Amino acid sequence: QVQLVESGGGLVQPGGSLRLSCAASGRIFRFNVMGWYRQAPGKQRELVAAITSGGSTNYTDSVKGRFTISRDNAKNTVYLQMNSLKPEDTAVYYCYGDIKETIWRRGDYWGQGTQVTVSS
């Protein structure tokens, strides 16, 4: 079984920065895709950013140029650096992993979520 644990959320003023971390533990053979989703009150969960095993990244339009997804394979950790934060970035952020536990078995895994609030 694989566990994803997020950290780094909090309250920040508009224009500020936060860095989210997602540490994966358990039986991990390889990461396929890792990503960050967010869900604001009354809205559907949306993909914010993703990174493939090859290092390719993808961002939703509203965060391009402000957010950066990266990973540290040695630490089994994925990061989301968020700069120039806006009130509309306020949401619960979830880490997602498409992870192979063995060469034959893969699964979809989610973290518990971390709150990000952008407010003055």
Side-chain angles (χ1 to χ4, degrees):
Q1 190 70 9
V2 176
Q3 296 81 40
L4 302 179
V5 178
E6 302 109 332
S7 60
L11 173 64
V12 64
Q13 291 186 343
S17 299
L18 283 175
R19 189 175 82 154
L20 305 183
S21 299
C22 173
S25 62
R27 190 175 186 180
I28 299 170
F29 173 71
R30 189 181 73 187
F31 296 99
N32 287 335
V33 178
M34 297 294 292
W36 289 93
Y37 285 72
R38 67 185 178 187
Q39 187 166 20
K43 295 187 177 181
Q44 290 187 329
R45 190 175 296 191
E46 65 168 349
L47 175 65
V48 177
I51 185 166
T52 70
S53 59
S56 297
T57 58
N58 183 46
Y59 299 91
T60 191
D61 286 344
S62 63
V63 308
K64 287 180 180 177
R66 299 189 297 122
F67 290 12
T68 303
I69 189 170
S70 62
R71 67 175 189 224
D72 184 332
N73 289 333
K75 296 181 179 180
N76 285 345
T77 300
V78 175
Y79 304 97
L80 185 67
Q81 178 67 44
M82 305 185 294
N83 299 328
S84 302
L85 282 161
K86 304 175 180 180
E88 50 264 43
D89 295 318
T90 296
V92 178
Y93 284 70
Y94 296 91
C95 179
Y96 162 78
D98 172 353
I99 298 171
K100 296 189 75 170
E101 295 178 57
T102 70
I103 194 170
W104 303 281
R105 177 178 175 178
R106 61 157 296 281
D108 296 301
Y109 298 94
W110 292 90
Q112 79 284 358
T114 185
Q115 177 70 45
V116 172
T117 302
V118 185
S119 175
S120 55

